[in-house]
Structures are given as C-alpha cells and as structure tokens.
Amino acid sequence: MSPVNYLNEHLWIHYTGHFLVLLAFFSAAYVVAIGLLNKFDLTPSWIRAVKIAFLIHIASVFSVIGLILYMMRNHYYEFEYVWAHVSDELPMKYILSAFWEGQEGSFLLWMFWNCILGIYFFRQVKSIPITVLVILIGVNAILTSMLLGIHIGETKIGSSPFNLLRYTMDIPLFANADYVSLLKGNGLNPLLQNYWMIIHPPTLFLGFASTVIPYAYACAALIHRNSGSWLSETLPWSLISGFVLGTGILMGGAWAYEALSFGGYWAWDPVENMSLVPWLILVAAIHTNLIAKATGHSIKPTLILYSLSFIFVCYSSFLTRSGILGDSSAHAFTQMGLEWQLVALCVACTLFPFYLFFKNHKFIEVPAKEEEIQSREFWMFIGSLVLLFSALLISFTTSIPVYNKLLDLAASILGTDFTSLHRSIPLDPVAHHNQFQLWCAVFISIISGIALFLRYNPKDQNGRLKLFFIRISKALLLSGLIAFAVQLFSFQKLHWSHYLFLFAAWFSIIASAWYFISLAKGNFSLAASVISHGGFGLLLLGILFTGINKQILSTNIFAQEGLLDSPEAEELSKHLTLIRNEPMFMNGYWVEYSTDTFLHKVRKYTLKFWHEDSLGHRKDSFLLYPEIQYDNKLTKVAASNPSILRNVHEDIFSLVAQIPQSQVDVESAKQAEDSLRFSLHFLQLNDSLESEDYVFTLKNLKSQFYPVDFELKPMDQLLQMELDVKRKSDGKIVQSTPAILFRENLIYKFPSKLESFGVRTNIPDTLYSTLVPAYTDLRKNNIQLKSGGEITIENGIRIKLVKLNRNVPEELMKASGADVGVSALLELHSVKDTQQIECFFFIRGNQIISLPVSNLFPGISLRFMKINPQTEEMSFEYGLHPDPVSVKLPLEISENDVRTDFIVIQVIRFPWINLVWLGSIFMVLGMLIGAYQRRKVLTHVV
C-alpha cells in the first residue's frame, strides 16, 4: 500500500519543535557534564562555556513555548497537544490556560521560570552562584527529558508536544490525505475556563521553581565546604520563594472557593496537600536560616530543610503527574507513561544533596554550646520541627496510594499477595487532617509568640528572664480574656480544644502587636516577622469562625418531606429543592428560583433572596447566579460553579447541587424525550378536548410572540396557540402556549411545558399544509402595483409594494439557472398584523419562472407574474387562504412529561471568611517585606 501524501500539515513545526527540544536538552546536559567533570570548580573559560550553553538553552526553551502558542493560536489540530486542549470556540484569553493544562505545557512553564531565575546567576563569577546556576540547569535537563518523545527499544523517554495526531492513534480518518480539514479540537476543560486559571498556575509554578534556588545554594555550600556566607545570600531567595509559593497556594484556595463545588477554600485534596508541604518545609528552613545567620546554630538543619523543600516539590510532581492519585484527587494529571522518569527526578534530586551532606558535613562549623531554652533560637528551632512534623504527617496520608503501589510491586516480584496490608485513604480527609493539624497550628502559634519576646544568644539571663515572664504573662492573660469574650459573643459552645485554638490565634496576634509596639518601637525593619506571625493568627481566627460557625442556610425539612423523591434526612438538612417561581423559606431567608438561561455551555440560574419583616414586607434582598457548566461537546454536566454574595463580615455561598436528570447529560435527555407519548388532535378555535385527567380548550391564535433567547427576522412567519388546561382533580386552570416559526426552509418549534401538570403541548409541522392549501386549489385574482403603491383586496387586506430589488442573491440565481432575476418586497396589512413577504421573478432564456410565496397571517399566497417596462407596473396573482378560525388545527399533547422546573440548591453562610484571606495575605506579605529588606545582600553579590 502506497504511503498517503498528507495535505495541509505544518511539518516544519513538527521538525523544528523536535530539534529545539533536543537542543534544549543537550545544551543543559552539556552544562551538567562540565560541572560534574570539573567537580564544580570552574575556571573562567569553563564558566564562559556554561554561560554560552545556558543562553542556547534559554533560547531553545523560549522558542519551544512560542512555537506551541503559535500552533494553538492558529488551531493546528494535526498536532495532538493542540487537538487535546484547544477548540475553535475557545476564547483567546484562555490560550495560556490551555497551554499549561497538559503535562508538557506545565513542564515547560516550570522550565521557563527556571530560565528566568537563572538569568540572575548568569551575571555571577563567584564559585557558589555559578554552582547554583549549574544545578538549576541540571534540573532543567531532567525536565527537558520529559519532552523528548523518543523511544529507545521499548522504552519511551518523554512525551513531545510536537507529536502529530496520526502518530498517536490509528483510525480510518488518517487514510484521508486531507484529514486536517476534518479535525475539531477537544477544547479546554470547562473547570479551567476561569480567570484564576490564567494567573494561578504560573504563580504556583514560579513558587515551585523558586525552591530550587535555596536547594542549589545548600548543595553549593556543601560542594565548596562553605559553612556560613551562603546563608545571607540564600535568605532573600527563600523569602521570595515563600512569598510566591504561598501566594500561589492562596490563589488556588480562592479559585476553589469561587469555582468548585465542595463549598469551601480547602478540602485537603492530595494535590492541595502536596503544594502545601514544600511551603511548610520552606518556612521551617527560613527560620533555621535566621537562627544560623544570627547565632551559628542550626546550619545542618537548614541544609537539610532547604533540600527537602525542593525534594518534596519533585515528589509532588510525581504524585500529581504519574496518575497514582487519579482515584483520590480531582486535580491530578492522567497517566502518560513518564512514571519512571518522574521517579528518576525524585531520586536524583534526593541523592545529590544527601550524598554531599554525608560526604562534607564534618566541615560545617557547629557551635560547641547548645541553644539555651530561654533563647529565641531554641524556640524557633522547636517551631521549625513542628512545621516539619506537620508536613510529614500530611505527606504520610497523601502517600497512601504510593505505599499500596509499592506493596503491589513487591508482591509481583516475590510472587505473593500483600493486598491485606493495603491502607485505605481516609473517608473524611478534612476531619482526618484537621485532628492533627489543629494541634500543629496551636503549637506554632504559641511557640512563635514566645520566641518574639526572647533574644538570640541571651546574656544577663536573670534580668531578662524576669522581664520575659512579666511580658509573656501579660500577653497570655490578655489573650485568654479576649478569647473568652469572643467565645461568649461569637460561639454558642466550643470544645476545649477549639477554645485552645482560639486562645492560640489571639496570642499570636497580641504577641506580634506587643512586640512591634513595645519592643521594636514601630521599627519598620522589624515588621516582617510581626506581619507574618500576626497574619497567621488572623488566618487561624478565620479558620475557626468559618469552620465552627459555618451555617447551612438551605434547610427546611418540613417543607421538603415528600416534595420529590424523599431524599435522605441528612441531605434534607443540607439542601433545598426549589420549584421555579415558587418562593421557599429557609433558615432565616426566603428564596425563589425565578429563571434560568443557557448560553455558551453554561446554564445560569437566578436566585432571589430576601428577608421579611413582621408585616411581610421584603427587605435586604439580593440576587445570586450559580451556574451549571457543560463539557465542550455539550454531552454532560462538567461542573457546578457557585455564586457568592461577599460582605465584610460574611459570605453567602450558593451552589446548584442537583438539576433535573433529563438535563444532566445527552443520554438522559434522549431517554426523557423518547419516553414522551404524544397524541395528535385537531382543534378549532374555542373547541375543547377532554382526556382522563385534563380538559384542553383552544382560546386564541396569535401571529406574534417573542421567543426567549431567540432572534426574530423580518420574514419569519409565526403562530402561537393559547390553550386553557384544566386539571379535573382540583379544577386548577393554567395556560399552555405552544408555538411554531417558519423561516424559508426551516421550522422552529416552541413546545409549552406545564411542569406542575406533567403536560407538554406541541404544534406539529403539518400545521403549514393545514393553513396553506395547494396553490392550484386557490381561486386566483390579479393586481397591478407600482413601487410605493398599495391596493386593498378582500377581507380588508392592504398590499403595498415597498420596493423592487434587482440584486437577487447569487445562490437563488444559480438554483433557478436564471439569466435575469428581480424580487419585489411587499407589505401585507390586515386588521391585526403587518407582515413582509418577498416574491421573485426570474427569466431563463425565453422562459419566465415565478413561484408562489405564502404567508400565514394574513392568509395569502402571491406570485410575481410580470413587469411592464413602459408603465413600470408589476403584476401579481394572489389567492386567499381559509380563515384559521374556521380550520381545525393539529396539536400534539403528552401527559407524561418529565418535570424540569426544579433545582436542588445548597446555601452556606461563611462568617468572617475575610479573616482567612486577610491573614494569608499578611503571612506572605511579611515574607515579601523580609526579602525586600535583605535586597542589598543580592546587590552586593552581583
């Protein structure tokens, strides 16, 4: 079989992209080889070679990124990466989100930030900064290998973003030489079509990437046996890294709160956990760095903690990208076959610093005297240990799937079964993690508060201790009193552990404020730790308020019982079923589901909330607009997006928890439609039709109506029936208004659903033939009109010739094969209506072609017969239709329609949630201020 010569493929991108990836990899590998062969002791000539290779690497990485964005921007679907993440309908603002949605794009984002960070060290000539640059490029070498997309035997190395789609799947489509023209992109995951996804991932990845700088400094210090000076250079970088990574995590919490359906800002999801763990370890390392810089203690722990912060970034990457968390996290990537490369990344980045540590740790100077218990460094070190313990606890639970996989691997090697040793993931991860992390937070708050009142290397211990105990006693007493008062006024009842949590939060805030006002005397240079520690206290207050005082508002158990399918009692206490336009009372509020609109894959619901005073007057009303978002192919629900009313002291969070099953996916909708049993009837105006349960009466016919979310055009012909539907059981009467619209060769139906009755009425296509007899059966008359003239015919119908159009659409000319064509635009005026109609007149050789055109209201058919060039008169032939009032009209009725006029909502009140955001902002802001205050260190290094 001869090979297919494919058309319209952009093969130059395919080959150029592969070349650039290889160039990026080998330029980075060359730098690593230089460093290892010279044992990182580089001469000026080797340093110059490193810098040249680094420039080539940067140019290659940036070019790869630019090429992929170019492919996406131009919708080159022959590339698998473009096909998987982009579609024609995707707004251009989400192209970047689509770029880093896939694993290849996220690896490139990581490499991009490594390159940007490396530019700072490009200017260095000293041994440690140059070693940092080499290590940073070494990390990029491993990351670039993830993009190689080559096979060595049966082993796959990397996944290339420049793979052609026909290389990745074998389907009949690729037998077509012009298959590219038939491709449509899958598009971006609807969950990621959010503004947070434009700014959150790059911020988070910059945070991940920045942890390599302290890691590299620690390795460089061990390589060059530098026990002290590196600490000052590392500290600004670690503070910047803590600020950026913390900000990225904060953005992720804000995105989860605004766009996800779990009703909160943190769910202890495995991916959330593994972004938090490196940050906790990094914060611990920052504190031991401060100790080491001030006293000479804790240098070894600082080396270890800086190494661990980046090692856990690599481990996090393994967990989220290997597919191992696919069953336990909604945020993890799917499996791509890169698992062993990710393991190699973790192993390499773990063995390298610990090999150096065990080889060279003896050269690290350690003070002979241990830290004293009354010193600041002692309590800061204890706090760092608590942070490390917290991180390891989180990692242990999150790694349960890894533990189970290792057991399975060992079982396969040993030929046995270790299934009984498997551990289960906690059914309630929030409760599981909270029971441990609550105590970690309490210890950290108290320890950090105590440390602020102490000094490094204290002297005159007796005098200092007395003053310390006086200050700490006052702070503890004031914190206890405030916590007790807050507990009385803000909480109904607190468990003693929660009271301790409240006390610790206030102690952190008061100790920070006291230190800044009384001891630091308002010195801004000492404000960084005060802002971060005080922010941590505010964060704990926010967590306590939102956790303990969180209130489910969507409750009305008595009204819910028996409303639909009798949900479980537990669900009744959390959710509320609303019928459209029927107000329902819930915990302190009235709520009404008024409308819903469907636009661009999103169904938006309008919920009205209000209070009522004793006289029944509405007050404090507001609207919320939760959404249901469908997938890119409109086949099923992809997400439920909440809507939030934000106030200073509280948020009102609303979510659509359930919609009618027939709207959930295409299959359910099809089953609902197929289940309808329509019966055909014929009704004349004022006729009645009686079924077993209902009486239908045709009360009126209308030629004008305005469909919702539908654009009418001038030539549209419409008919709407108004029927009274009476339910026999209770005599209740509601109106049904089915309608139909005719536009050229198209027909649009607008059935009418009576949700509470379970009735649907529909006008069938045959209505047109019922109202418009065959033209040959009509009694014909002739009229002559000039442009602008009008004439009145039978039944009071006025016909006006608006204009003559000599520019007939080309497609009509071709369809008729005419040489000449004109059209006449006519206005038809009856007692009730004014309609426009267009008649065509064609000449083909010696033959005249003129087809009749019909209108429903007024009922008339016209034909453009001839044109008199001398008198400029046009002749028309017309025939009138029977009066619709005297005609029995077809109507389809179903009495087993599925209800779609309800939704199930969840509404939650989050009191003082802004303390969570404010406290988090203060925590990371303190790190940024600390980095700014130490900027001179970096300037001096340059």
Side-chain angles (χ1 to χ4, degrees), residues 18 59 85 312 358 455 466 526 578 598 659 698 907 924 942:
H18 276 297
H85 303 291
F312 271 93
F358 288 113
R455 293 195 175 194
K466 182 179 179 181
L526 301 175
L578 298 180
F598 188 83
I659 61 175
L698 180 58
V907 183
V924 297
V942 176

Side-chain angles (χ1 to χ4, degrees), residues 796-848:
I797 299 173
R798 289 187 295 115
I799 303 175
K800 179 180 179 180
L801 178 56
V802 178
K803 66 176 180 178
L804 192 67
N805 181 14
R806 291 179 173 82
N807 297 316
V808 175
E810 186 176 347
E811 59 269 20
L812 293 179
M813 295 290 290
K814 288 182 178 179
S816 63
D819 303 314
V820 178
V822 294
S823 71
L825 182 63
L826 302 168
E827 275 186 1
L828 308 175
H829 300 268
S830 64
V831 176
K832 295 182 179 181
D833 303 290
T834 297
Q835 299 282 343
Q836 287 189 342
I837 190 170
E838 191 171 16
C839 299
F840 293 92
F841 182 88
F842 297 105
I843 299 176
R844 182 171 62 196
N846 295 323
Q847 184 182 7
I848 294 175

Side-chain angles (χ1 to χ4, degrees), residues 420-453:
S420 61
L421 300 177
H422 278 194
R423 294 184 63 88
S424 299
I425 298 170
L427 295 176
D428 186 352
V430 174
H432 170 80
H433 286 286
N434 283 351
Q435 66 179 330
F436 300 112
Q437 298 307 317
L438 180 149
W439 295 107
C440 292
V442 168
F443 287 141
I444 291 168
S445 297
I446 294 175
I447 290 169
S448 63
I450 291 172
L452 286 173
F453 290 98

Side-chain angles (χ1 to χ4, degrees), residues 462-519:
N462 293 331
R464 293 285 180 193
L465 280 177
K466 182 179 179 181
L467 185 59
F468 164 76
F469 281 117
I470 292 172
R471 289 169 176 168
I472 204 71
S473 299
K474 290 180 179 179
L476 289 170
L477 179 60
L478 183 58
S479 301
L481 291 173
I482 294 176
F484 181 73
V486 170
Q487 184 261 336
L488 285 178
F489 291 102
S490 300
F491 299 95
Q492 292 183 354
K493 186 178 181 181
L494 277 182
H495 188 266
W496 68 267
S497 60
H498 291 145
Y499 180 80
L500 184 60
F501 191 90
L502 178 63
F503 165 77
W506 277 112
F507 179 68
S508 183
I509 295 170
I510 290 169
S512 300
W514 194 323
Y515 171 78
F516 185 67
I517 296 170
S518 178
L519 303 181

Side-chain angles (χ1 to χ4, degrees), residues 536-553:
F536 183 63
L538 286 175
L539 171 62
L540 296 187
L541 279 182
I543 291 172
L544 193 63
F545 273 108
T546 57
I548 301 298
N549 283 347
K550 180 177 78 171
Q551 184 181 15
I552 304 293
L553 298 179

Side-chain angles (χ1 to χ4, degrees), residues 554-558 560-577 658 904:
S554 46
T555 60
N556 188 333
I557 296 178
F558 297 108
Q560 295 289 92
E561 288 181 340
L563 184 61
L564 289 173
D565 297 327
S566 298
E568 298 294 331
E570 183 180 353
E571 292 305 307
L572 283 173
S573 66
K574 297 179 181 178
H575 298 89
L576 193 70
T577 302
Q658 182 182 334
V904 179

Side-chain angles (χ1 to χ4, degrees), residues 552-710:
I552 304 293
L553 298 179
S554 46
T555 60
N556 188 333
I557 296 178
F558 297 108
Q560 295 289 92
E561 288 181 340
L563 184 61
L564 289 173
D565 297 327
S566 298
E568 298 294 331
E570 183 180 353
E571 292 305 307
L572 283 173
S573 66
K574 297 179 181 178
H575 298 89
L576 193 70
T577 302
L578 298 180
I579 306 296
R580 188 187 295 121
N581 297 322
E582 292 189 14
M584 177 76 72
F585 183 77
M586 65 181 194
N587 206 340
Y589 288 89
W590 282 92
V591 59
E592 180 183 349
Y593 155 41
S594 57
T595 60
D596 64 84
T597 56
F598 188 83
L599 185 65
H600 302 309
K601 296 176 287 192
V602 172
R603 190 184 295 276
K604 179 180 288 189
Y605 299 84
T606 300
L607 303 180
K608 299 178 180 179
F609 295 82
W610 69 91
H611 291 290
E612 284 189 359
D613 60 20
S614 58
L615 299 177
H617 298 148
R618 292 190 181 188
K619 62 178 184 176
D620 304 327
S621 61
F622 59 91
L623 299 175
L624 289 177
Y625 304 95
E627 298 174 345
I628 290 293
Q629 188 164 8
Y630 291 84
D631 65 8
N632 292 320
K633 296 182 179 179
L634 292 175
T635 57
K636 61 182 180 180
V637 171
S640 179
N641 300 328
S643 179
I644 303 168
L645 174 70
R646 298 184 182 276
N647 295 304
V648 173
H649 65 291
E650 67 178 13
D651 282 3
I652 304 297
F653 176 99
S654 67
L655 173 78
V656 176
Q658 182 182 334
I659 61 175
Q661 183 60 39
S662 61
Q663 296 178 352
V664 170
D665 54 48
V666 169
E667 186 61 30
S668 297
K670 184 176 183 301
Q671 289 178 2
E673 287 296 318
D674 292 345
S675 69
L676 293 179
R677 298 188 300 271
F678 279 102
S679 56
L680 180 62
H681 306 274
F682 292 88
L683 291 175
Q684 193 174 328
L685 191 63
N686 296 319
D687 277 356
S688 292
L689 168 70
E690 188 171 347
S691 70
E692 184 177 347
D693 298 312
Y694 303 98
V695 177
F696 301 86
T697 304
L698 180 58
K699 303 294 289 186
N700 193 18
L701 297 175
K702 297 174 63 177
S703 62
Q704 293 292 333
F705 75 102
Y706 301 95
V708 178
D709 298 329
F710 188 91

